[in-house]
Amino acid sequence: MKGRFQMVDIKETVSIMDIDFLKVTKNELMKEMLLPALVNGERRFIVTANPEIVMKARQDASYRQAVQRADYTIADGIGIVKAADWKGEPLPERIAGYDVMRNLLQIAEEKGYSCFFLGAAEEVNERAVQEVKRLHPNLKIAGRHHGFFELKDDTVLEQVKTANPDMVFVALGLPRQENWIAKHLDQFEKGLFMGVGGSFDVLAGEVKRAPGIWIKLNLEWAYRALRQPARILRLMTVFHFMFLARFKK
């Protein structure tokens, strides 16, 4: 696309434990913020934050600083939406990071933008990219790299920089993915950088996403816990977040 795109600067946010969440719908985020940034060749950092990310940021000052560097922080978790309701500053909806990634891949294929896939195990990363190619045969794949590397390893950084992608999807899990982006963001002139957690596992077929009815009822977290019993311990963090958000002012 030629020319510059008029940005619609939506700045209204709600602060939840020192993390500012955008009061936007997914449609507004895509059309009024991310697409214009792509068209204008700008650099943006997107955090899709759930209660676990907020609690980690609450406990870890360096991680909190990394998350606070984000240009756009969106509510990827019904717990965040509930916390905003309790503050009397409601968010319009939950915005699933996986859905944002899928929308961005569609835009990239249609508009000719390139994508880099960083993270997960080598075989998972490879299968995820193969699935992306199947779903989006005309997508430009700038490159890929597994997630088993030290954050201080600049060879991975140089690989991403050389690829010069328009979008970088970082599946390193928290806190590594936000820390990696925050540490290296200034070394790029353009690009959307987004932590996507376990999204490569879903694309690769390692993890099955919840059926639509579970998502519609805001019970995706429960479905994941039932499918992956190891996640039940992580629910304790979510319950702690909900307690603090409801009763600690």
Side-chain angles (χ1 to χ4, degrees):
M1 295 180 68
K2 303 295 184 180
R4 294 185 66 80
F5 200 110
Q6 180 64 44
M7 299 287 289
V8 177
D9 195 9
I10 301 175
K11 293 184 177 180
E12 188 175 5
T13 61
V14 54
S15 180
I16 299 174
M17 299 184 194
D18 296 323
I19 304 299
D20 293 334
F21 287 85
L22 284 170
K23 290 185 175 182
V24 293
T25 64
K26 182 166 71 74
N27 186 57
E28 290 168 342
L29 175 74
M30 301 302 301
K31 291 187 175 181
E32 300 176 4
M33 307 178 92
L34 302 188
L35 181 56
L38 281 166
V39 172
N40 295 341
E42 295 169 343
R43 184 182 62 211
R44 293 290 185 269
F45 177 12
I46 310 157
V47 170
T48 63
N50 58 19
E52 290 175 277
I53 285 180
V54 173
M55 290 297 286
K56 179 64 176 177
R58 182 174 183 268
Q59 299 158 1
D60 184 335
S62 63
Y63 181 60
R64 181 167 63 250
Q65 291 172 358
V67 173
Q68 289 174 337
R69 282 208 61 193
D71 298 286
Y72 311 129
T73 301
I74 57 177
D76 185 359
I78 191 60
I80 303 296
V81 176
K82 289 294 185 184
D85 285 343
W86 292 334
K87 290 193 68 164
E89 301 181 59
L91 292 163
E93 64 184 14
R94 175 200 171 209
I95 305 176
Y98 182 80
D99 293 337
V100 173
M101 182 187 73
R102 291 298 307 274
N103 286 171
L104 286 172
L105 291 173
Q106 184 66 43
I107 289 172
E109 181 180 34
E110 293 174 355
K111 308 297 183 183
Y113 296 116
S114 62
C115 301
F116 196 103
F117 299 83
L118 176 63
E122 169 61 25
E123 60 273 16
V124 172
N125 184 292
E126 182 179 14
R127 291 205 307 273
V129 172
Q130 288 174 348
E131 177 64 5
V132 168
K133 289 179 179 178
R134 186 188 71 80
L135 295 169
H136 305 282
N138 296 317
L139 179 69
K140 295 179 181 178
I141 306 293
R144 67 175 190 87
H145 195 285
H146 64 75
F148 288 82
F149 63 91
E150 295 291 333
L151 291 185
K152 60 185 178 182
D153 184 354
D154 286 342
T155 59
V156 176
L157 169 64
E158 292 304 318
Q159 182 178 337
V160 181
K161 288 171 65 177
T162 299
N164 194 33
D166 297 296
M167 305 180 192
V168 182
F169 300 108
V170 185
L172 301 177
L174 73 91
R176 293 180 73 231
Q177 59 192 25
E178 286 79 27
N179 284 338
W180 188 90
I181 296 171
K183 179 180 178 181
H184 300 303
L185 188 65
D186 290 341
Q187 299 188 50
F188 294 85
E189 294 184 357
K190 67 164 187 176
L192 296 184
F193 293 78
M194 176 178 168
V196 296
S199 293
F200 292 2
D201 295 284
V202 177
L203 284 170
E206 288 288 304
V207 175
K208 184 177 180 181
R209 198 178 183 203
I213 186 62
W214 289 70
I215 296 173
K216 185 176 181 180
L217 294 174
N218 292 314
L219 291 173
E220 191 170 6
W221 59 273
Y223 180 86
R224 289 198 300 266
L226 289 171
R227 297 279 297 188
Q228 300 171 274
R231 294 182 63 96
I232 292 176
L233 290 177
R234 296 169 64 180
L235 290 181
M236 298 305 295
T237 300
V238 177
F239 294 148
H240 188 196
F241 166 84
M242 299 300 288
F243 173 81
L244 293 175
R246 186 70 180 92
F247 297 109
K248 299 291 184 179
K249 303 301 182 183

